[in-house]
Amino acid sequence: MARTASKSLFTADLIVPAIGDAFRKLNPRELIRNPVMFTTAVVAVLLTVLLVVGQDGLAAGFKLQLVIWLWLTVLFGTFAEALAEGRGKAQAASLRATKAELTAKRLKGDGDAHESVAASVLKMGDVVLVQTGDLIPADGEVVSGVASVNEAAITGESAPVIREAGGDRSAVTAGTRVISDEIRVRVTVNPGQGFLDRMIALVEGAERQKTPNEIALTLLLVGLTIIFLIAVGTIPGFASYAGGSIPVAILAALLITLIPTTIAALLSAIGIAGMDRLVRFNVLAKSGRAVEAAGDIDVLLLDKTGTITVGDRQATEFRAVGGTSQAGLAEAALLASLADETPEGRSILVLARDKFGQTATALPAGAEVIPFTAQTRVSGVNFNGSTIQKGAVDSILRAYPAAATTAAATELRRVSDEIARAGGTPLAVAKDGELLGCIFLKDIVKAGIRERFGELRQMGIRTVMITGDNPLTAASIAAEAGVDDFLAQATPEDKLALIRKEQEGGRLVAMCGDGTNDAPALAQADVGVAMNTGTQAAREAGNMVDLDSDPTKLIEVVGLGKQLLMTRGALTTFSVANDVAKYFAIIPAMFVVLYPGLGVLNVMGLATPQSAILSAIIFNALIIPFLVPLALKGVTYRPIGAGPLLARNLAIYGLGGLLAPFVGIKLIDLAVNGLGLA
């Protein structure tokens, strides 16, 4: 599966623009979106004013250093967000360049007559002609023809893919190139609403909205800020009672070191980077809410074909019943499949022609095609007063009740059970109510899929395989793949009912799909991942689109969602734990003159009160850029249980957040005194 190469964080083309953006983000209208950093900026402005007009007995050099480091605290926060956004801008620029090149051959009628127009003027419903070497001008569906398409501009994968009319591989994306043959494409989006437009907006952060989790955390940080503001506001009263006073600059320094500036500065960067990691994994999420939901998934629904098994089933054998010859079965199966454009249908044609010498290439004159539906699960053809049908065994027997009690039916059930127990899918064939036999469609379980499901089980996620196969085949494949449960003979309504049942039990459900019949289930699921090769209906219904069209990637999406939640939680834990050490640095420094007994709290042995305050402020500022790489790359996720995972993160980020300031502030204190700064 293709992945977009990750760009290094520390390159000039990222750092330099981010520095400029950091200063532009000091605009109060932007800064107020982050209340904690806005509070820090207000305090920095206050101290800047007091530096000029204040008469509080503090050295001007000391106050100047406080002002500088407070402004740096704000700038480091805006820089982190700008750097996170900057990682997506290069990708957006290349996408824009691709979009700017697009022109279209808009058809004027049913023929080949067309006019050349800019892709930007195309609207929903227009039909365009795309020939060898042309870029597809807009998102749409192939309405006629079949072509090889290079999607490297979108997915990063240079291997061509087939796009064709009908079926579940009809969707095409603007900016991809036709490398052979020609197709007609019906435009399915209006200008500015296409796939490229959404990707550009996403990677630039233009459409990023705060997720519910992020909003809740922001409210918590605001609450903590208000509590610390009230607490600091009471300190002058205690000082006055003791017969002294505390300068405003010292109170301001205490407030900034106590409020959760670290996580507040990194919060937006964590969210942007989480979405960016998803894009670099070739998955487009329509909202951050979907990414977070992926991290909390309880149940994972997966289609069998193409997800658990290698892909399209192939016809490998004809098994006749009731005295029918294999050649007669092959002929009937071929006629019933001539109008079947699915890979399974085509494999039946190949088998009938290669092994049994069948030569028919087109339906007889006047033939009427019986289309496949999810309800009937039968397809076929009517011609010359005869009806040939193929489909699931139980569906064929329901269609011909009289045949269900014959000896041929008994033999058919036996043969179909044998095929199912072998892990294959049996398709029954009947002509005018006479059962002819079964077609053996072979399924191959993907290598390593059982281990992947084992990892999910360690995460506490239950896997359910969904298939239209009979229960015997489904049970065989499910046992081989190692899924927790399966749903056989599933209709679109069955999928929808299963999702609703799980959700009513309080569980979050993820599902992937690619067909129009998957659209209701994709829309109902908490996380719906649509395949890029799928139909437009599926892509619109899902809240994520996998550009590589790899259904197993849903497993990685869950891991990325968990990583995002873990990163936010880990850095919040680290930030709050930081404050404990700062109490021991600043509180004794503030009150040691008024309350000499507080000197025992100076466990770090800081040189002077001013040095302690300045060191705490410097550490509070410097810890932000030190944590930027972790915020952007994310905390490493391993598929282990929730309990061990929590214990591990508390040990690393809770204990680490507690100890780091003790070490950091002491080292800064030594440097400050060594340089004579306080």
Side-chain angles (χ1 to χ4, degrees):
M1 82 188 60
R3 291 177 177 84
T4 307
S6 180
K7 194 173 183 67
S8 172
L9 290 175
F10 304 105
T11 58
D13 59 337
L14 280 180
I15 296 290
V16 174
I19 292 173
D21 288 340
F23 281 96
R24 282 189 284 274
K25 287 180 178 292
L26 292 178
N27 184 333
R29 284 179 294 184
E30 283 202 39
L31 203 58
I32 201 167
R33 297 174 188 170
N34 190 331
V36 178
M37 297 313 294
F38 181 77
T39 302
T40 307
V42 170
V43 171
V45 169
L46 173 64
L47 289 195
T48 304
V49 173
L50 291 178
L51 182 64
V52 179
V53 302
Q55 301 293 325
D56 50 17
L58 293 174
F62 174 72
K63 291 194 291 184
L64 177 62
Q65 290 181 80
L66 287 181
V67 169
I68 291 172
W69 284 107
L70 285 177
W71 279 116
L72 284 174
T73 302
V74 180
L75 281 170
F76 287 150
T78 56
F79 174 79
E81 183 176 357
L83 187 61
E85 291 176 352
R87 298 183 77 193
K89 288 183 178 179
Q91 188 177 0
S94 67
L95 292 172
R96 276 204 180 88
T98 299
K99 190 177 174 207
E101 299 173 8
L102 299 180
T103 58
K105 299 173 181 175
R106 185 168 60 189
L107 294 172
K108 295 180 177 180
D110 294 333
D112 291 338
H114 61 266
E115 58 182 342
S116 291
V117 298
S120 57
V121 305
L122 293 174
K123 60 184 184 296
M124 191 182 299
D126 286 345
V127 179
V128 297
L129 175 67
V130 190
Q131 298 171 307
T132 302
D134 292 347
L135 289 170
I136 294 172
D139 295 358
E141 287 191 314
V142 180
V143 292
S144 70
V146 57
S148 297
V149 179
N150 185 330
E151 297 185 337
I154 304 297
T155 68
E157 177 58 62
S158 59
V161 294
I162 302 298
R163 294 290 178 265
E164 57 192 328
D168 294 338
R169 297 182 181 272
S170 60
V172 291
T173 306
T176 57
R177 189 180 297 277
V178 171
I179 58 177
S180 72
D181 304 296
E182 68 176 44
I183 49 177
R184 283 170 169 78
V185 177
R186 181 187 296 113
V187 179
T188 54
V189 295
N190 285 316
Q193 299 175 358
F195 207 70
L196 277 176
D197 300 290
R198 294 203 325 241
M199 281 192 72
I200 290 168
L202 182 68
V203 298
E204 285 191 323
E207 288 188 356
R208 198 187 87 86
Q209 296 178 337
K210 287 187 177 182
T211 63
N213 183 286
E214 199 171 345
I215 292 170
L217 185 53
T218 300
L219 291 174
L220 174 63
L221 299 182
V222 170
L224 289 173
T225 301
I226 293 171
I227 291 169
F228 284 126
L229 186 61
I230 295 171
V232 171
T234 64
I235 288 176
F238 287 104
S240 178
Y241 180 78
S245 63
I246 305 291
V248 173
I250 302 300
L251 292 172
L254 175 64
L255 174 65
I256 299 306
T257 55
L258 293 185
I259 64 176
T261 51
T262 305
I263 182 59
L266 298 172
L267 189 56
S268 184
I270 293 168
I272 294 170
M275 297 292 283
D276 182 64
R277 282 195 297 275
L278 202 66
V279 171
R280 292 177 185 278
F281 208 74
N282 283 346
V283 177
L284 176 66
K286 295 180 182 179
S287 70
R289 183 193 298 263
V291 185
E292 283 188 357
D296 287 328
I297 284 301
D298 301 298
V299 182
L300 194 58
L301 306 184
L302 297 152
D303 277 331
K304 183 201 71 173
T305 307
T307 305
I308 294 170
T309 59
V310 169
D312 303 322
R313 296 170 296 187
Q314 300 292 305
T316 58
E317 189 179 352
F318 292 123
R319 294 193 181 181
V321 299
T324 305
S325 67
Q326 283 195 321
L329 173 59
E331 182 183 8
L334 179 133
L335 290 170
S337 304
L338 281 170
D340 186 351
E341 293 297 318
T342 65
E344 290 90 345
R346 290 171 186 162
S347 74
I348 293 171
L349 301 182
V350 172
L351 181 64
R353 289 165 180 164
D354 290 351
K355 288 195 174 182
F356 297 94
Q358 299 294 327
T359 57
T361 58
L363 288 171
E368 178 188 356
V369 175
I370 303 171
F372 176 87
T373 67
Q375 285 71 36
T376 65
R377 300 174 68 218
V378 167
S379 64
V381 63
N382 291 320
F383 71 97
N384 295 337
S386 294
T387 299
I388 301 176
Q389 291 183 299
K390 64 178 174 69
V393 173
D394 61 328
S395 299
I396 291 292
L397 293 176
R398 277 199 304 269
Y400 300 105
T405 57
T406 62
T410 303
E411 189 179 358
L412 182 71
R413 291 189 184 98
R414 179 183 59 79
V415 170
S416 67
D417 286 352
E418 289 176 1
I419 294 171
R421 289 194 180 94
T425 301
L427 279 187
V429 181
K431 181 178 182 181
D432 297 330
E434 180 186 356
L435 302 175
L436 303 182
C438 271
I439 305 168
F440 191 141
L441 297 179
K442 187 137 180 92
D443 275 312
I444 300 172
V445 174
K446 288 184 176 179
I449 199 74
R450 188 179 185 90
E451 289 73 19
R452 304 291 297 280
F453 290 143
E455 291 178 5
L456 289 172
R457 201 169 293 112
Q458 287 182 304
M459 299 179 197
I461 298 171
R462 187 166 66 92
T463 52
V464 180
M465 181 185 79
I466 299 175
T467 177
D469 285 335
N470 64 73
L472 279 175
T473 301
S476 175
I477 297 293
E480 187 178 351
V483 295
D484 298 309
D485 201 355
F486 65 90
L487 177 66
Q489 297 178 329
T491 64
E493 292 78 14
D494 293 333
K495 295 179 187 179
L496 199 59
L498 177 60
I499 292 172
R500 286 172 175 166
K501 180 184 175 183
E502 295 288 352
Q503 290 172 330
E504 287 168 2
R507 290 176 284 274
L508 291 182
V509 180
M511 178 185 168
C512 66
D514 59 1
T516 301
N517 64 340
D518 292 325
L522 287 169
Q524 180 66 35
D526 300 285
V527 178
V529 182
M531 302 297 102
N532 192 39
T533 57
T535 62
Q536 192 66 24
R539 297 205 302 185
E540 290 299 323
N543 47 27
M544 293 187 190
V545 178
D546 176 21
L547 303 181
D548 296 331
S549 300
D550 178 5
T552 60
K553 197 182 290 182
L554 190 54
I555 298 170
E556 275 81 10
V557 169
V558 171
L560 287 170
K562 288 186 178 294
Q563 186 186 42
L564 174 62
L565 295 174
M566 282 175 52
T567 302
R568 194 178 288 142
L571 291 181
T572 301
T573 303
F574 186 91
S575 177
V576 173
N578 268 204
D579 291 339
V580 177
K582 295 169 190 174
Y583 288 121
F584 288 93
I586 291 189
I587 298 296
M590 288 175 60
F591 287 101
V592 73
V593 176
L594 301 176
Y595 300 100
L598 288 177
V600 298
L601 295 179
N602 185 15
V603 295
M604 286 179 271
L606 304 178
T608 66
Q610 288 192 346
S611 170
I613 293 166
L614 185 59
S615 298
I617 284 288
I618 293 173
F619 177 85
N620 195 62
L622 290 181
I623 195 66
I624 296 172
F626 272 105
L627 291 175
V628 165
L630 182 62
L632 299 189
K633 292 179 180 178
V635 172
T636 302
Y637 172 71
R638 293 184 179 89
I640 58 177
L645 191 63
L646 178 62
R648 173 179 170 270
N649 286 338
L650 282 175
I652 295 173
Y653 300 102
L655 187 60
L658 192 64
L659 297 178
F662 282 94
V663 177
I665 291 173
K666 179 60 180 178
L667 292 174
I668 294 171
D669 178 71
L670 293 173
V672 166
N673 282 280
L675 296 171
L677 298 177

